[in-house]
Structures are given as structure tokens and as C-alpha cells.
């Protein structure tokens, strides 16, 4: 249920119906109530004819309107050429009047009734009210649309937190695979909620706020719900953006309302997702601060400080940007405990896959453990999406169970996008692309510290023209210099192939060159792996441009050092290129044969590449390929182990 008043929506619907009913009643009155009482409208000349024929029984005169009744029915012609029978009629006196009309009525003993004409301008009133009521209705609907989740006209300041009752919340730690260290930390919170006297008797204070930090898709929200399920307490969930509105003071009011509701149901858990949307550093940015957001943050800080020790309320929040949070939020007494929810390990990935495969029919050839080994860098959300896509593909192919080929295709679809069936390469472009990808693959297969090859393809997918996929043998957390140097040479293999075979360069190496520059720069500045700058880190924490931090910082080394850094990066890049050239020349026969195989088949598995090079030491099985482990702690998986050529390539 929502935190706002449950009658808000009903009250809004009632107001809409009242406006509609009023408009309908006014229209009906204007159409029937203000006009003649009824009867067929006839010309005044026709009325004179019926009077001359002594066929008029009775008339009622009101102003210039004459309502009457005939002694017997008469007929009149319509514009369509037909005739209409009538006995009651309505007509109007002409503006010039009829002085002898009354004499003729008296002469024929016609009953004459006169009524005074109303002096109140009903027509003007109705014509004036209709636009006002209409504008009121439109304005009300507009205000309701401006309120997210439509909580009613008078509930804009009420909390939008969703309350999951303890009887409804069934998520437990059994539904959360991996994140063992995070779950151990959170069990302490559960013990406090179940038995607070145990800690108070020892003089201990349980953290009032718990901040879950980690990349997107790692299960931060799921962990918070599992805590509520394990503790068997009410769980209030709200997104940080739900506090923000176009009206001043709404955010702060919603914060107060949310905490008041939580206190009424304590012990309880308040969970704020995407805390960084309201918790960014105050007074920062090129354009100054946001008063409404800062008021909301100040109110949140006040509520965190306002807890009594025995209230039994725990505030949990999640963010993937802890670096931009205001320091007042993370000080002791507020969100004083930070729990890191990192990307899952191989073992954790296996457990996550087993959970998401519970209700999916898998064929006997599927080995979840091997899939877990082949997916370093995948988050829990990525693994769920992988199996879901595999299930959809199995249904599309009319399979009764999910096959290995479905998982393989799903992984390619998730990683690189759909096949671009309508894209046709001519023979020259196809040859150029084949040699480019063969360059990556041969260098990777020959160098001793490079990751094993899984697949080489020149089938256009998504934004990629061609892809060389490598399958790391295990998760890596530290990166040796020899591994990084081999990695750079593999990335430069495509550009080296272009120069060797065609004596030219193409735009298809754009992504390769960006990866090399980024990795070489980190080697020199951050990791002290250059020849000139050994054992020294020149790198700096990158400031947040939108907070104005980067512009306020200066470089901490001289211009001369900067030139030497650039020279060192250039040397590493050139060395990597030359190693790739030498490797391809040493394996020229395998290089040419692999390119020919790609032109013919468009896709070559890693086993075939290894057989060409003649080194079976790196041979791997056909497993779903990975987006790879990162070449540094700050690089994304896509930047490290999948070498794909940009759509802008001339290949």
C-alpha cells in the first residue's frame, strides 16, 4: 500500500464526476429549460392561418413567445419535402408587432394566458459558468498529472514510500546468492530488529543508517528486501527521485511524512534507493546549488539525527555513486556503515544462475558451473538477463528445453546486439575485416600471457562489424605487467594486420586505439609500470565535472613531466604495435589461413584458431564467451576482452 491517504484517489474521482454532472445539468437546462415549453415550431404566418381557420384552442404568451394548442391536428411541410402532423405549436411575435391579434383571439373565444418574462439573465450566467468550470476541471487534471503516481490533489506532500507488510514480504537471504560478506554484515541489523535489548544491555549501538554501495545490478535492493523478510518487520521502499517535485518544500514534507509512518509501525526498515539523487554534495556545481534538493537533504539529515535509541527504525540506502554523496550523510550517527556489494565471484555466479534457473527447463548439456566460469564481470542482473534471453530464443526456435546453443546465442545477443541481417559487405570490405579480426586472434593465440581465444566472427552485430572473443581461465583481481603488455599487443593486432596486408589503416581500429591509450595511460600514471616513472603514481582522483570539482583542481606535476608521460605512453603503444607485427609475421601462414576461413565461414571457434597456430596449451571448450575481466580495476568489462570493430569502419 502507499504511504499517502487511501482516499485521495477516490476524492479526486468524485470531484471529476461532480464537475461533469454540473456541466451536463447546465447544458440540459440551457437546451430545454430556457426555451419554449414544447411543441412544433411553426412560422407566424402558419399561426395566422390556423387562427383564421378557427383551429386555435389555447395560447400562452411569454414575452414574444407564443405556445399554443390547436383544436385538431394540422400538418406542415418540411424542407426535405415531407409533412409533419402537429397539435401543439410554438411561434414568435414579429418585431413590428400585431395590433389586431388580441381582437381576433377574443372573437374566436381562444383561451389566452399571459406570463411575465424572466428578468434574470440565465443565458449569460450559464455561458459564463461553463468556461470557468471547464478550466477548473482541466486545471485539476493537469495538477494530478504533475503529481507522480497520482495520489490526489491534496496529497502532493505525502510520502510516496511503498509499504511492504511483514506478512507480504517473503524475500529472504535464501533468495540472494553470493554477497556473503554483505549478508553477514546485515545479519547484525536483523538481530537488532528482533532483539534490541540484547545490544542495549551490552552498551552497544546499532548503526542507524546502512549504505549499500556497489555497481548496478549487483542486488542491493534485493538485499534490503531480504533483510526485511528475515527480520519480519514492515519495509518502506522509496526512490530518491520520489522526493522531488516542482513545488517548493514538497521533498522535505515527504521525508517527514515517511518517517512518521515508519515510527507508527516500528520496528521497521526504511529503504531509499538511488540515494545520490537527493544526497549529492551541497552548494556544489557550476550553476550553484539546488535549493529544493538541499532542503530535502537537510530534512533527511535531521530525521536521521532525530531518532530515539529505542525506536527500532533502521534506514537503509543504496547507491552506485558514493563518491558524490554529501559528507554529512556518511558521518557516524547517520549512514555510518557502508557495505560493499561487489560483482559476484565465480562461485557466486554459479549460485545466482541456479536461482534464476529454478523454473526453466535446461537440457542435460547445460553446465551452469561452466557458464559461471565463462562470465567474469557479469552482475546478477546480467546473469538473469542471460538466462531469460536464452529462454526466449528457445521458444522462438520451438525447443522443449533451453539448449547450449540458445545460451550461446543469448550471450552474443546481450553482449553485441542482434545480427544485422540487412547489412551486406562487398568482397573487399569482407577481406579487410577478416584480416583485421585474424590479426587479433593470431596474436592472442601465440602470446603466452594472453587470454585464450573463444570465437572470431565477422558477422555484423549491433554496432560491431567484427568481434574477437577471449575466454579468461579465471577471475583476475591483480594484473601483472606481462599480462598487460600481451593484452596491448592483442588489441593492436588488428591495426598491425591492416598495415602488413594492405599497407594502410582503417577507421575500424578506432575502438582498439582508445583501449590501448586508456590502458597505457593507467600503466604509466596509476600503476608505475613505465620505464621512466617506476614506483611512482602520478594519477589523481577524477573530480566530478557536474559538481565543479575537476575544474577546481590543478595538475600535481609539471609540464615537463606531462611531456615525459606522453612520451612514455607513446613508447608503450608503439612497442605493443611492433610486437603484434612481429607475431603476425612469425605466424604468417596461420594468419592467412584464418583470414580465408573467416571469409568462407564468417565465424571460427577458438579450437580451430589454436590448431592453426600449433599451440594446444590454450585450448578451451565451446562455452558461452564472456565480456571478460577488466584490465584494470577502473575499466569496464566491455573495454577489455571483447575486441569489436566500430560501425564506422570502412572494412
Amino acid at each position: 500500500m502507499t504511504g499517502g491517504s487511501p482516499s485521495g484517489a477516490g476524492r479526486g474521482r468524485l470531484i471529476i464526476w461532480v464537475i461533469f454532472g454540473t456541466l451536463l445539468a447546465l447544458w440540459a437546462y440551457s437546451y430545454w429549460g430556457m426555451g419554449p415549453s414544447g411543441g412544433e415550431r411553426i412560422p407566424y404566418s402558419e399561426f395566422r392561418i390556423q387562427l383564421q381557420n378557427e383551429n386555435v384552442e389555447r395560447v400562452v404568451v411569454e414575452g414574444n413567445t407564443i405556445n399554443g394548442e390547436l383544436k385538431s391536428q394540422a400538418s406542415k411541410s418540411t424542407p426535405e419535402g415531407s409533412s409533419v402532423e402537429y397539435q401543439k405549436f410554438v411561434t414568435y411575435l414579429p418585431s413590428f408587432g400585431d395590433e389586431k391579434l388580441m381582437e381576433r383571439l377574443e372573437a374566436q373565444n381562444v383561451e389566452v394566458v399571459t406570463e411575465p418574462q424572466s428578468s434574470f439573465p440565465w443565458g449569460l450566467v450559464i455561458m459564463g459558468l461553463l468556461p470557468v468550470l471547464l478550466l477548473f476541471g482541466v486545471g485539476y487534471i493537469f495538477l494530478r498529472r504533475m503529481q507522480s503516481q497520482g495520489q490526489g490533489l491534496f496529497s502532493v506532500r505525502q510520502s510516496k514510500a511503498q509499504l511492504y507488510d511483514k506478512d507480504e514480504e517473503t524475500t529472504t537471504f535464501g533468495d540472494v546468492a553470493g554477497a556473503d560478506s554483505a549478508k553477514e554484515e546485515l545479519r547484525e541489523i536483523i538481530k537488532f530488529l528482533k532483539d534490541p535489548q540484547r545490544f542495549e544491555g551490552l552498551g552497544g549501538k546499532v548503526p542507524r543508517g546502512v549504505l549499500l554501495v556497489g555497481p548496478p545490478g549487483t542486488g542491493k535492493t534485493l538485499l534490503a528486501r531480504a533483510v526485511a523478510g528475515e527480520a519480519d518487520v514492515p519495509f518502506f521502499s522509496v526512490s530518491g527521485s520520489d522526493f522531488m517535485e516542482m513545488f517548493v518544500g514538497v521533498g522535505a514534507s515527504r521525508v517527514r511524512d515517511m518517517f512518521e509512518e515508519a515510527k507508527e509501525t516500528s520496528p521497521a526498515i526504511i529503504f531509499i534507493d538511488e540515494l545520490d539523487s537527493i544526497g549529492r554534495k551541497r552548494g556544489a556545481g557550476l550553476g550553484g546549488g539546488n535549493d529544493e534538493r538541499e532542503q530535502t537533504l537537510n530534512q533527511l539529515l535531521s530525521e536521521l539525527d532525530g531518532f530515539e535509541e529505542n525506536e527500532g527504525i533502521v534506514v537503509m540506502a543504496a547507491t552506485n555513486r558514493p563518491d558524490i554523496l554529501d559528507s554529512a550523510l556518511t558521518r557516524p550517527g547517520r549512514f555510518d556503515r557502508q557495505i560493499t556489494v561487489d560483482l559476484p565471484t565465480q562461485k557466486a555466479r554459479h549460485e545466482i544462475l541456479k536461482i534464476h534457473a529454478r523454473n526453466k527447463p535446461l537440457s542435460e548439456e547445460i553446465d551452469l558451473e561452466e557458464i559461471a566460469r565463462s562470465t567474469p564481470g557479469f552482475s546478477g542482473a546480467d546473469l538473469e538477463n542471460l538466462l531469460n534471453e536464452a529462454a526466449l530464443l528457445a521458444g522462438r526456435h520451438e525447443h522443449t528445453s533451453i539448449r547450449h546453443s540458445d545460451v550461446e546465442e543469448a550471450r552474443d545477443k546481450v553482449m553485441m546486439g542482434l545480427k544485422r541481417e540487412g547489412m551486406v559487405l562487398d568482397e573487399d570490405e569482407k577481406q579487410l575485416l577478416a584480416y583485421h579480426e585474424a590479426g587479433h586472434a593470431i596474436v592472442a593465440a601465440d602470446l603466452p600471457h594472453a587470454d585464450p581465444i573463444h570465437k572470431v566472427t565477422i558477422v555484423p552485430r549491433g554496432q560491431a562489424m567484427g568481434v574477437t572473443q577471449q575466454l579468461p581461465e579465471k577471475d583476475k583481481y591483480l594484473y601483472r605487467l606481462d599480462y598487460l603488455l600481451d593484452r596491448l599487443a592483442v588489441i593492436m593486432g588488428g591495426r598491425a594486420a591492416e598495415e602488413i596486408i594492405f599497407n594502410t589503416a582503417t577507421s575500424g581500429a578506432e575502438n582498439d586505439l582508445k583501449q590501448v591509450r586508456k590502458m597505457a595511460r593507467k600503466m604509466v600514471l596509476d600503476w608505475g609500470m613505465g620505464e621512466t616513472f617506476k614506483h611512482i603514481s602520478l594519477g589523481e582522483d577524477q573530480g566530478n565535472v557536474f559538481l565543479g570539482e575537476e575544474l577546481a583542481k590543478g595538475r600535481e606535476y609539471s609540464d615537463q613531466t606531462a611531456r615525459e608521460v606522453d612520451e612514455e605512453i607513446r613508447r608503450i603503444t608503439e612497442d605493443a604495435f611492433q610486437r603484434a607485427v612481429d607475431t603476425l609475421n612469425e605466424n604468417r601462414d596461420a594468419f592467412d589461413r584464418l583470414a580465408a576461413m573467416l571469409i568462407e565461414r564468417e565465424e571460427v571457434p577458438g579450437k580451430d584458431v589454436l590448431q592453426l597456430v600449433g599451440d594446444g596449451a590454450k585450448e578451451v571448450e565451446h562455452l558461452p564467451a564472456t565480456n571478460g575481466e577488466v584490465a584494470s580495476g577502473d575499466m569496464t568489462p566491455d573495454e577489455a576482452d571483447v575486441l569489436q570493430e566500430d560501425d564506422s569502419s570502412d572494412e
Side-chain angles (χ1 to χ4, degrees):
M1 67 178 183
T2 61
S5 172
S7 63
R11 183 165 54 247
R13 287 191 293 270
L14 178 61
I15 293 176
I16 292 292
W17 280 109
V18 169
I19 294 175
F20 178 77
T22 303
L23 291 173
L24 184 62
L26 290 174
W27 176 81
Y29 178 78
S30 66
Y31 191 82
W32 286 294
M34 293 175 56
S37 58
E40 184 70 25
R41 293 177 182 260
I42 62 174
Y44 186 75
S45 58
E46 178 69 17
F47 168 67
R48 290 288 301 268
I49 293 174
Q50 296 297 330
L51 185 62
Q52 187 176 355
N53 294 334
E54 299 182 355
N55 193 31
V56 179
E57 178 73 23
R58 181 174 181 272
V59 297
V60 179
V61 182
E62 182 180 357
N64 65 339
T65 304
I66 300 176
N67 291 273
E69 184 177 355
L70 303 178
K71 295 179 180 178
S72 60
Q73 287 188 346
S75 63
K76 73 167 189 170
S77 300
T78 63
E80 291 79 12
S82 60
S83 63
V84 176
E85 301 289 334
Y86 69 95
Q87 190 166 358
K88 293 184 177 181
F89 64 89
V90 178
T91 190
Y92 301 92
L93 283 171
S95 59
F96 50 83
D98 190 347
E99 298 179 355
K100 298 183 178 181
L101 175 62
M102 196 61 193
E103 295 179 3
R104 292 173 180 170
L105 293 172
E106 292 177 351
Q108 297 183 17
N109 295 320
V110 177
E111 182 183 356
V112 179
V113 179
T114 59
E115 295 182 358
Q117 186 176 8
S118 175
S119 61
F120 193 81
W122 285 105
L124 295 177
V125 172
I126 293 174
M127 294 300 296
L129 282 179
L130 282 174
V132 173
L133 292 175
L134 185 62
L135 288 175
F136 179 80
V138 172
Y140 173 76
I141 296 173
F142 174 76
L143 288 176
R144 278 183 55 86
R145 289 179 177 257
M146 292 297 294
Q147 304 170 28
S148 56
Q149 298 183 3
Q151 290 187 333
L153 181 63
F154 306 103
S155 60
V156 67
R157 295 178 177 271
Q158 294 179 345
S159 169
K160 291 189 172 184
Q162 295 284 335
L163 172 60
Y164 297 89
D165 193 81
K166 59 184 180 181
D167 297 327
E168 301 174 357
E169 183 54 66
T170 59
T171 305
T172 64
F173 282 151
D175 301 310
V176 183
D180 293 334
S181 59
K183 288 191 288 188
E184 188 63 32
E185 290 278 351
L186 293 172
R187 285 192 175 93
E188 184 176 302
I189 305 299
I190 297 172
K191 292 178 181 178
F192 166 74
L193 292 172
K194 289 185 175 181
D195 187 17
Q197 291 78 17
R198 175 183 176 184
F199 294 88
E200 295 172 357
L202 297 172
K205 294 183 179 179
V206 174
R208 297 179 177 180
V210 179
L211 183 62
L212 301 177
V213 179
T218 52
K220 299 183 293 293
T221 303
L222 184 62
L223 273 171
R225 296 187 62 173
V227 171
E230 292 282 348
D232 195 28
V233 297
F235 179 79
F236 292 86
S237 178
V238 65
S239 175
S241 60
D242 288 337
F243 294 108
M244 306 305 296
E245 277 287 359
M246 64 176 292
F247 307 108
V248 178
V250 169
S253 178
R254 288 177 175 176
V255 171
R256 287 192 298 269
D257 189 66
M258 178 181 66
F259 278 90
E260 289 176 359
E261 290 186 18
K263 292 174 183 178
E264 294 175 357
T265 60
S266 66
I269 294 175
I270 295 176
F271 177 66
I272 305 174
D273 202 5
E274 304 297 340
L275 180 65
D276 50 277
S277 61
I278 61 170
R280 293 197 300 269
K281 296 178 181 179
R282 291 168 291 181
L286 300 177
N290 185 315
D291 290 339
E292 175 61 14
R293 180 181 60 78
E294 292 186 3
Q295 288 181 22
T296 305
L297 175 58
N298 290 334
Q299 185 62 44
L300 177 61
L301 296 174
S302 176
E303 294 292 341
L304 288 170
D305 279 341
F307 287 155
E308 299 293 336
E309 295 184 1
N310 60 350
E311 282 188 344
I313 299 175
V314 174
V315 183
M316 301 181 65
T319 181
N320 54 17
R321 294 296 308 277
D323 55 308
I324 68 174
L325 293 180
D326 195 289
S327 58
L329 271 175
T330 56
R331 73 153 176 84
R334 289 169 177 162
F335 288 104
D336 47 7
R337 177 170 295 187
Q338 295 190 19
I339 300 177
T340 300
V341 187
D342 213 340
L343 292 173
T345 63
Q346 177 180 332
K347 179 181 178 182
R349 291 195 299 272
H350 186 206
E351 296 297 323
I352 294 172
L353 287 169
K354 289 196 293 184
I355 289 178
H356 294 305
R358 287 175 179 173
N359 301 319
K360 294 180 174 65
L362 303 180
S363 65
E364 295 181 356
E365 63 179 341
I366 296 285
D367 189 343
L368 295 179
E369 187 173 357
E370 294 297 338
I371 296 176
R373 185 181 71 83
S374 69
T375 52
F378 274 51
S379 67
D382 294 331
L383 296 171
E384 180 183 11
N385 188 40
L386 175 66
L387 290 183
N388 183 65
E389 288 291 342
L392 295 177
L393 289 169
R396 182 184 303 174
H397 300 320
E398 299 182 354
H399 298 163
T400 57
S401 62
I402 300 175
R403 302 178 182 179
H404 170 78
S405 58
D406 298 324
V407 177
E408 178 89 0
E409 186 178 352
R411 198 236 15 107
D412 288 343
K413 180 180 178 181
V414 171
M415 285 293 304
M416 299 172 290
L418 293 172
K419 291 182 179 180
R420 298 158 68 178
E421 302 290 353
M423 188 174 185
V424 180
L425 302 176
D426 61 32
E427 293 301 321
D428 292 338
E429 289 179 328
K430 194 172 184 179
Q431 184 182 34
L432 190 61
L433 184 59
Y435 270 103
H436 186 110
E437 295 303 327
H440 289 305
I442 295 298
V443 176
D446 185 73
L447 295 181
H449 304 290
D451 293 319
I453 294 293
H454 171 66
K455 181 192 301 182
V456 187
T457 177
I458 59 172
V459 178
R461 284 181 173 271
Q463 299 299 315
M465 298 286 291
V467 177
T468 299
Q469 298 175 345
Q470 294 175 263
L471 180 64
E473 296 174 334
K474 61 179 182 179
D475 292 346
K476 291 185 176 68
Y477 304 100
L478 296 174
Y479 306 97
R480 297 176 52 169
L481 177 61
D482 50 9
Y483 171 82
L484 296 174
L485 293 176
D486 282 5
R487 181 69 192 152
L488 291 173
V490 173
I491 299 174
M492 294 298 286
R495 173 55 62 90
E498 296 171 356
E499 183 166 312
I500 292 173
I501 303 300
F502 304 100
N503 194 27
T504 187
T506 73
S507 60
E510 177 185 355
N511 189 51
D512 299 339
L513 299 178
K514 288 181 178 179
Q515 291 187 55
V516 169
R517 175 183 57 81
K518 183 176 181 179
M519 191 181 303
R521 188 170 184 82
K522 290 194 70 68
M523 291 172 63
V524 176
L525 291 178
D526 297 335
W527 301 333
M529 293 181 177
E531 292 184 357
T532 305
F533 302 100
K534 288 185 177 180
H535 320 305
I536 182 173
S537 176
L538 300 174
E540 307 172 10
D541 294 334
Q542 296 296 315
N544 299 292
V545 178
F546 74 98
L547 291 179
E549 293 182 1
E550 186 181 81
L551 300 180
K553 290 183 177 180
R555 195 175 56 199
E556 296 182 353
Y557 48 87
S558 66
D559 292 340
Q560 177 63 30
T561 301
R563 286 191 290 270
E564 293 178 0
V565 167
D566 292 340
E567 180 63 26
E568 188 77 9
I569 294 173
R570 188 196 66 79
R571 183 194 61 78
I572 293 175
T573 303
E574 291 297 329
D575 288 350
F577 176 79
Q578 191 58 48
R579 288 188 69 200
V581 171
D582 295 340
T583 302
L584 293 177
N585 286 327
E586 293 172 0
N587 298 272
R588 180 59 186 266
D589 182 63
F591 179 31
D592 291 332
R593 291 171 60 189
L594 178 58
M597 293 170 64
L598 285 170
I599 294 174
E600 180 183 358
R601 296 156 51 180
E602 294 189 335
E603 187 170 290
V604 178
K607 283 185 175 183
D608 295 348
V609 178
L610 294 172
Q611 290 176 359
L612 291 174
V613 177
D615 182 8
K618 295 182 181 180
E619 187 172 338
V620 296
E621 299 179 0
H622 288 303
L623 303 172
T626 178
N627 63 347
E629 89 280 2
V630 297
S632 77
D634 298 329
M635 296 178 63
T636 62
D638 291 345
E639 296 172 323
D641 289 275
V642 176
L643 306 180
Q644 60 186 38
E645 315 319 320
D646 295 336
D647 194 11
S648 59
S649 173
D650 293 332
E651 303 172 348

